[in-house]
Amino acid sequence: MSNIISTINRICKKIEQSSGCSYLYKYFDELIELLQNAELSASEKASLRGLVQDYAADSIYNNYASANWMRYSARCFYCADFLVRFCGDETQEGMEGLLNSYFVDLVNHGVAPILPQETLDKYIDKNSEEPLKMYDTLIKKAVGECGKCRYWQGNDISLARTYTKSIDNLIRNYIKRYEDVTILKQWVPFLDSVRLADFWFNYPDSTNYKHTRAHERQFIEKCSDEMLEIHLKLISEWFWRNPQELISTYSQEELIEILEVTDGDEFEKILRHAVTLPTNNKIKSVLKHFIEDDEIYIACLARELLQNYDK
């Protein structure tokens, strides 16, 4: 028995026994080393195809819906897809077709966005007849998982951060591919930036914060900082592409929540631009709100803009 078949059999046995994740890392890496530059026999290719199917089948454990299980599921699919390239040109297309059915399952369970970008793009392309529908499902499922930022467990908020980065990539990739910026109105409000802003703003004063260990607090704050930064950049991009659309989409209260956590330079830039648009009672109310701000600079800026707004 060849070393390749022996290693494949060992991994298959580990998968069957579900005995830890070593077959996703150590044994998988050992197998890749053996496969590099190897001329595979027919029996070795057959064994490899069986392993691809085993890895793919193990990806269905995403239905446990915890952070660790979802990462495990994504890793299984990645392993399966990576091994397909060694199966031979005559079967590669068929094997990728099989994996695509598992990819659709990962999309429907919200796992697909955390796949490596190259893998994700590859299977999006395989479903390119309905790109908007595919992106829409990917983003909505991912946003549902991003809601985990409301919990105070490290694994959950870490996954939410991963999702946030993935959503950003998905939106920007869609715009780049299809030159369609109208989806900003469809997807950015769905991200629920206001809830994230509220979480980011209030977490340091929350009971959960006070009873969480220092290193966990720092980790949660770092994750929420990164998540909020991505949200605000998407909102800012939408504003500069179509400010009146953004203003009409968000309520007065939502605009205030978002502006309150926006960086100072961008905050001023947006407000100064907003008052050059046709007079809008919503903007007037926002300016009146910031006149009462604790920061003198913001209060003075709002007062200056409001005084000239109706003139």
Side-chain angles (χ1 to χ4, degrees), residues 53-285:
Q53 292 173 330
D54 284 353
Y55 267 127
D58 236 29
S59 73
I60 65 171
Y61 284 109
N62 59 65
N63 57 19
Y64 282 85
S66 72
N68 285 332
W69 275 110
M70 297 183 89
R71 289 193 176 95
Y72 170 85
S73 175
R75 177 69 184 183
C76 283
F77 186 86
Y78 165 78
C79 290
D81 177 68
F82 193 90
L83 290 173
V84 165
R85 69 193 68 187
F86 301 105
C87 290
D89 294 339
E90 67 279 3
T91 61
Q92 185 168 342
E93 185 176 346
M95 295 300 293
E96 288 180 353
L98 169 71
L99 290 180
N100 191 56
S101 64
Y102 284 98
F103 175 75
V104 172
D105 182 78
L106 266 59
V107 169
N108 290 330
H109 283 89
V111 176
I114 63 173
L115 290 169
Q117 195 63 44
E118 183 181 354
T119 308
L120 182 59
D121 289 344
K122 175 180 174 180
Y123 285 92
I124 288 176
D125 286 342
K126 288 186 175 295
N127 294 273
S128 59
E129 290 183 7
E130 296 182 291
L132 182 60
K133 182 178 178 181
M134 176 59 70
Y135 275 94
D136 195 50
T137 304
L138 280 164
I139 290 172
K140 285 180 179 177
K141 292 292 184 181
V143 169
E145 295 303 325
C146 271
K148 292 184 179 219
C149 72
R150 67 182 180 273
Y151 302 128
W152 288 278
Q153 284 84 31
N155 279 339
D156 286 338
I157 199 164
S158 175
L159 182 64
R161 176 180 60 179
T162 301
Y163 269 118
T164 304
K165 291 178 179 178
S166 299
I167 291 167
D168 186 49
N169 287 334
L170 284 165
I171 290 175
R172 296 183 185 283
N173 193 40
Y174 179 88
I175 292 173
K176 182 178 178 181
R177 281 188 173 197
Y178 302 105
E179 298 181 351
D180 175 15
V181 297
T182 63
I183 50 82
L184 290 168
K185 180 179 180 180
Q186 178 179 337
W187 289 334
V188 174
F190 192 68
L191 302 184
D192 203 358
S193 303
V194 173
R195 177 185 290 182
L196 177 58
D198 183 66
F199 172 87
W200 178 88
F201 189 80
N202 291 313
Y203 180 70
D205 297 323
S206 70
T207 303
N208 299 72
Y209 181 95
K210 295 171 184 175
H211 289 84
T212 303
R213 290 177 292 182
H215 73 280
E216 291 177 337
R217 292 200 301 268
Q218 291 170 2
F219 176 72
I220 292 170
E221 287 178 339
K222 182 175 184 292
C223 286
S224 59
D225 281 350
E226 292 177 7
M227 291 163 64
L228 186 60
E229 183 179 0
I230 290 173
H231 280 230
L232 293 178
K233 281 182 178 178
L234 284 171
I235 289 170
S236 180
E237 180 167 340
W238 182 17
F239 178 85
W240 294 114
R241 287 181 181 273
N242 196 331
Q244 289 178 303
E245 182 180 77
L246 182 145
I247 291 169
S248 66
T249 300
Y250 283 120
S251 69
Q252 172 191 319
E253 291 75 19
E254 289 170 332
L255 288 172
I256 290 170
E257 288 278 356
I258 291 167
L259 285 167
E260 282 183 336
V261 294
T262 299
D263 175 77
D265 289 342
E266 185 69 8
F267 170 86
E268 180 177 351
K269 188 178 174 184
I270 288 174
L271 272 191
R272 288 192 180 278
H273 183 267
V275 297
T276 66
L277 301 170
T279 303
N280 185 304
N281 288 332
K282 197 181 291 184
I283 294 299
K284 186 183 292 187
S285 297

